[in-house]
Amino acid sequence: MQQSSHTTSLSVRSFQFCSNNSVTFTNMKLPTLSVLYLIHLTSLLLILAESTQPPFSCDISDPRTKSYPFCKTTLPITQRVQDLVSRLTLDEKISQLVNSASSIPRLGIPAYQWWSEALHGVAYSLKVTQGIRFNGTIQSATSFPQAVGIEARAIYNAGQAMGMTFWAPNINIYRDPRWGRGQETPGEDPLVSGKYAVSFVRGIQGDSFEGGKLGQHLQASACCKHFTAYDLDNWKGVKRYVFNAKVSLQDLADTYQPPFQSCIQQGKASGIMCAYNRVNGVPNCADYNLLSKTARGQWGFNGYITSDCDAVAIIHEDQGYAKLPEDAVADVLKAGMDVNCGTYLKKYTKSAVEKRKLPVSKIDRALHNLFSVRIRLGLFDGNPVKQPYGTIGSDKVCSQEHRNLALEAARNGIVLLKNTDKLLPLSKTKTTSLAVIGPNANSAKTLVGNYAGPPCKPVTPLQGLQSYVKDTRFHQGCNAVNCSSAFIAQSVKIAKGADHVVLVMGLDQTQESEDHDRVDLLLPPKQQNLISRIARVAKNPVILVLLSGGPVDISFAKNDQHIGSVLWAGYPGEAGGRALAEIIFGDYNPGGRLPVTWYPQSYVNVPMTDMRMRPEPSSSYPGRTYRFYQGPKVFEFGYGLSYSNYTYEILPVTQNRVHIMVERSNPHRYLPVSEMGDEVCEKMKYTVKVRVKNHGAMAGKHPMLLFVRQPKMVNRRPVRQLVAFQSVNLNAGERADVEFELRPCEHLSSAKKDGSMVIEEGSYLLSIGDKESEIQVVKQYNS
């Protein structure tokens, strides 16, 4: 059986901060597809073709439902769900445990599709996205570098959705640069990933940017995935379905788990997806400690947990963890999973009950979580037009407001990596001819990345540049992105005749994607050769634009004097071509920062299967990500140039000492954060103020990154750690004082080998740009 998974994608994933800390949701400022079963696809099309009215339960005109307590909106959700579940037969209960939940006609309950995607906006496959279709009034959706919640509800209200649960965002740490799905994530930093998760979830579900607005009603449901330590798809024959990720408690505590904790505790996500892989021998979807003790018990998760697609089947069929199919079903339901993407629970749950491997109470527990979310979505409150979010119409989809947001996100996410002698921006008056060359120059498909729907009005880089220079000559340069055939002679000819040359190169989904990890970090060989050949013959140094989700070793371009400027655009969404052109011709000042380390090609010697974050001094293992990696870099995490120059000054603080109170019997130089308590931690926080000035001639949106480090890397602590970030808009010559909140319990703590978080006494350095300020953590004894 073909297994697969679902995801979110972070296209233009750079920091602004990160423009994608500025991810774009229409109600706030924020910074996979699997193979469909033919039967399901056919039935879904037939159902959706019958009506343009959104499916819902508890129609007041239906005499069957008037007396049912589960239809009474005045009752608590828990009471409504208990009533509903009590009315179901065992067969009806089992029919609700899979992503394609069947209708229950006798109770007036329509079919429901749990699986929909929303990585770059509402997504689709073959004109149908599991629960979404685009062949009605709405035939496209805004393609953002990230997703939007209002359009999801609008598509449902138009009768083109069988579900409102979207399996996004993907908040796994981008641990290895070869990972094909790294493009879907916010990057390699746990803090950024956590803040991104919170913003994404709040935007999709209808909360405010600051949180606290969300009540029991959901605009749509977000699902944080893939829980946990999932960041390998298919590398040299090692597949995600059977991979056993060996992860230390220390790495789990400070790297892999924090984004999910933030997603649940701060974002209030209503969904989690458990991942295919095993962690330390236990399948994620069968791990009671992970799903029930950690997510629900420690973090207070209140929502549903889905498997990745066919993840339950592989526990028996591929991993051999469960001896029988019924054992796999019992394992996941006892662990705390609620719904199976796939058919395994539909096939084997009844026999698991009959063989006394599974009590019905575990099924009821899962159904309580599932129906609670459907009720929160308003699907059991009668006609949705009369409910909250019922007035969101099709005019919200591809609206000018949303398309403007997509453009703003693309602008903010593009990273300027090189700009020798201020080649950029190009003069709009002096540039009379332009050569645009490359396989990604006129590809709208490449712009949107993976898990994307049909975009509203895509603008390719070629189209964007043509709007600035009438005499623009184009050649694709290669037969495809893999460049198995390069058209050197034709490309060189048009390059020689133009004032300036823009090369739009990079990768696409044939080179990096779900189920396809890379084996090296270079551009396709003939593509790299084409770039160098053109650069040598052009009248002026060329501009290289890279579209890619993951980092690429472009040391050749970095060191080539004939390549004057390099821009990385990720997969920037439908407005990416316009945003690139605006930056190249100076109508927008770039400010994006890299969300991942760009490693040299030699990093491929590190096995992708090694999950260790920290370096091992006794071996050649170099560690991972900017927090621990100690080897050479092509570009650092957080790197990015601008057309302006910014300077910083860390202003004097009223306190530069943090006191931790310990008992005299404590012989250690540290104190566990768990012993300090929330009240003490809250009192320890204080403000750090940084003065920033724009010394350039252009206004710009500038992301400020505040790090903390210790003078010496001790006790396997990070080399440095991002603790805060925010963007500031400054006119030419303008300065501003920006405040950052420092929380010592969070920002100065580190993980010990047993996974406990502690604050150690000693010296710490706050750093931003080239400026540093010392903080002392001092141990005091309780009297």
Side-chain angles (χ1 to χ4, degrees), residues 98-113:
V98 291
N99 63 291
S100 299
S102 302
S103 63
I104 307 173
R106 68 182 183 87
L107 297 178
I109 299 174
Y112 185 81
Q113 178 52 252

Side-chain angles (χ1 to χ4, degrees), residues 44-45 47-52 123-124 127-139 155 158-162:
L44 179 59
L45 284 167
I47 292 169
L48 289 172
E50 291 175 357
S51 174
T52 57
Y124 78 128
K127 294 294 181 183
V128 175
T129 288
Q130 296 75 25
I132 300 293
R133 68 184 174 98
F134 286 103
N135 58 352
T137 303
I138 298 170
Q139 299 193 359
I155 291 172
Q160 294 179 222
M162 285 185 64

Side-chain angles (χ1 to χ4, degrees), residues 10 117 143 157 161 171 321 384 537 547 602 615 685 744 747:
L10 184 72
E117 298 287 353
S143 177
N157 288 345
I171 56 172
Y321 181 84
V537 302
L547 300 187
S602 59
K685 70 180 183 180
H747 298 146

